[in-house]
Amino acid sequence: MARLACAIGAVALSAVACVLGFVGLASASGAHAGSKPVLPSKDPFYRYSRPLAHIAPGTVLKKRSVKIAENGNKTPVKATQILYRTTGELGQPELAVTTVISPVAPALTTRLVSYQTAYDALGSQCDPSYTLRGGNSSDSTAQDEEQFILGYVAQGYTVLVPDYEGVNLRWVAGQQSGYGTLDGIRAAENLLKLSRSKTPVGLVGYSGGSIATDFGAELAGKYASQLHIVGAAEGGVPVDLAHNLSYINGSPSWSGIIPAVLLSLGRAFGVNIDKYASAYGRKLIGQEQGGCINNYLGKYPGLRYQQLLKPRYVPIFSNEVFVRIVNRLIMSRTGTPREPMLIEVGKQNGQRGDGVMVAADDEALAHAYCKRGLKVQFKINQGLDHTNAAAPFEADAATFLTDRLNGGPAVNGCATIGRGDSIAPVKRQHH
């Protein structure tokens, strides 16, 4: 749920580039990419007319070859995009697209990095499959995160970038994001004719991308047990949405995402949010149809969720519908990852966290995994807000995944990880 924005900066990008051995790939061609691609919402590639119910998740339904564009310029990087069958938040069949980016130089063995971007979108103009081809990126994290994606490509990895929200754009829907990530991996392995049990896969995602990464790791054991996931790195993680809501409620910037998140969760769970919204809430929620993360940040300074709901639905967790949704999305409750984890979060001086993520929640998630026998590395990036904590995470994630994908031993930091907050299910409140 974040923009990496310009604050990552050239210095941070250079540091990650050195870690990855990334030298000049993104600017390898000065030719302009030309006209923008067709929006996914208008592109027939994203549609499939046949019934999906009896098609296995991860099945390749369509494919096409594309070229990756970086900052408006063409690159020599080739990719294949796949329309595949996946699963929605409520178990229904869904469609999604992933972009499979091949290494510039052929690798001796194929190792996959599934990079879940923080595209945080209710509009298709921020789908990674669109921005990676040179589509609009001003409303998303696309340009910043593409630097890291291309770094992994330069290192010799095959990188998968899924539109894990699906073609219906269900942002913050944890289980669907996890399914979309895992089925994107299965679709890529089907396309490339790879052995699922032998092909090592690393997962990585920051902020909104951490949702897909974490739920993918938690769901893999039951949903896609054949996959050989060797490590998962996630940073700036929204572990417990009830805590995140109380943290950003009334904030100068992050409170602007509240209407969009309510709308998106209504989409994912089949809930008519207008039923619960005040007149002002309906107005704001109606204005957020089709936007992306950078459209929302700072849009309504000081906004409080209480303004968006009818008085009888305040406090928000007096309503069993919201309690049920939030409890379903608390991380660690869906399953237990099987692979080593890296978890990081920023913490501003004197604050609960990085401005949107609660540091003690991320620590509690790491602690919960440790108690289940997982090897976990956990780090708080002190003094950094959500935007600025992204760069050190990306550098640490690159080192972590490189070790894991090359068969290195997993470091276990559980002995130094505290208990953190309680991330127990929310109890229904009373008026």
Side-chain angles (χ1 to χ4, degrees), residues 399-421:
T399 300
F400 172 81
L401 289 181
T402 297
D403 287 345
R404 300 303 303 131
L405 289 164
N406 287 285
V411 176
N412 190 355
C414 287
T416 62
I417 297 173
R419 298 183 62 87
D421 276 344

Side-chain angles (χ1 to χ4, degrees), residues 182-202:
L182 296 171
D183 287 327
I185 297 167
R186 290 200 275 207
E189 291 184 346
N190 287 335
L191 175 78
L192 300 173
K193 297 180 171 55
L194 300 173
S195 168
R196 288 185 180 168
S197 62
K198 295 181 181 179
T199 303
V201 183

